[in-house]
Amino acid sequence: MAMANSVQMLSESDRRLVAEWAAACAERVLGLFEAESPGDDRPRAAIARARAFSRGELDTASGIRQRFGGGSTAREANSPAAAAAARAAGQASAICHMGAHALGAAAYAVKAASLAAPHQPDAADNEIRWQFAQMTADVRAALRLLPPVGESRSGPLGPGLLASGQIGIIIRQIQAYLAGTG
């Protein structure tokens, strides 16, 4: 399956690196979804696919086909925190297609964590700090290759959902940390 080149894509080896990190970010908040929908294993399966891709057990084309087979779990969630957790898993599974989805997975995980702790104003910052503690130097280097959110129109960091609202703010904060200015 041929894909158009985009600065948001990352090389396959870099996508495999960031996929494990993004899966860990999504898995950290997965319990928010599973507490609400214990019989729905689609987000867990999406995270497992991201990990399989990171280990080289799933190729890009297979990952893309499987990603679209599960339907929209997030729209079926009852709470905003559970929906954000499901979206984090979906973003992680999309990394096989485009590396920029790693930042989407991390941002939705931060959103889920902060929505689940409305009386803890530092919940988002704490989640970002945890995410950074999980990054290897290679993951940081790969994520630094991505353009700033909102600057490149050819991918998920363009003028779509990842660039706007709370998710856009969170990705900007993550990218500021990556640049050493956060």
Side-chain angles (χ1 to χ4, degrees):
M1 174 178 290
M3 290 182 278
N5 287 333
S6 167
V7 293
Q8 296 183 42
M9 185 170 223
L10 297 179
S11 69
E12 183 173 329
S13 61
D14 283 341
R15 290 193 318 271
R16 290 190 190 280
L17 277 172
V18 301
E20 174 56 37
W21 171 76
C25 293
E27 186 172 57
R28 183 162 154 94
V29 296
L30 182 59
L32 297 171
F33 177 83
E34 291 181 332
E36 216 177 80
S37 301
D40 190 341
D41 68 346
R42 291 177 293 174
R44 185 168 292 282
I47 292 168
R49 284 192 305 277
R51 287 204 163 108
F53 177 76
S54 77
R55 294 186 302 264
E57 298 167 3
L58 186 66
D59 65 18
T60 300
S62 297
I64 291 170
R65 279 191 304 272
Q66 290 180 20
R67 174 179 175 242
F68 293 110
S72 180
T73 312
R75 282 194 298 260
E76 297 168 13
N78 294 319
S79 73
R87 285 190 175 95
Q91 289 286 314
S93 75
I95 294 166
C96 63
H97 166 64
M98 191 165 284
H101 287 291
L103 293 175
Y108 275 111
V110 169
K111 182 176 180 175
S114 64
L115 287 169
H119 301 296
Q120 296 176 11
D122 56 349
D125 288 335
N126 289 340
E127 192 64 19
I128 291 172
R129 279 193 287 281
W130 180 88
Q131 291 175 350
F132 270 79
Q134 308 314 303
M135 280 184 196
T136 65
D138 289 340
V139 167
R140 284 184 182 161
L143 291 173
R144 284 184 185 125
L145 295 173
L146 294 169
V149 68
E151 284 190 12
S152 171
R153 299 187 61 79
S154 63
L157 296 177
L161 289 177
L162 294 185
S164 62
Q166 185 181 8
I167 295 300
I169 292 167
I170 294 167
I171 291 175
R172 284 178 184 83
Q173 187 176 3
I174 292 169
Q175 287 186 315
Y177 273 93
L178 283 166
T181 60

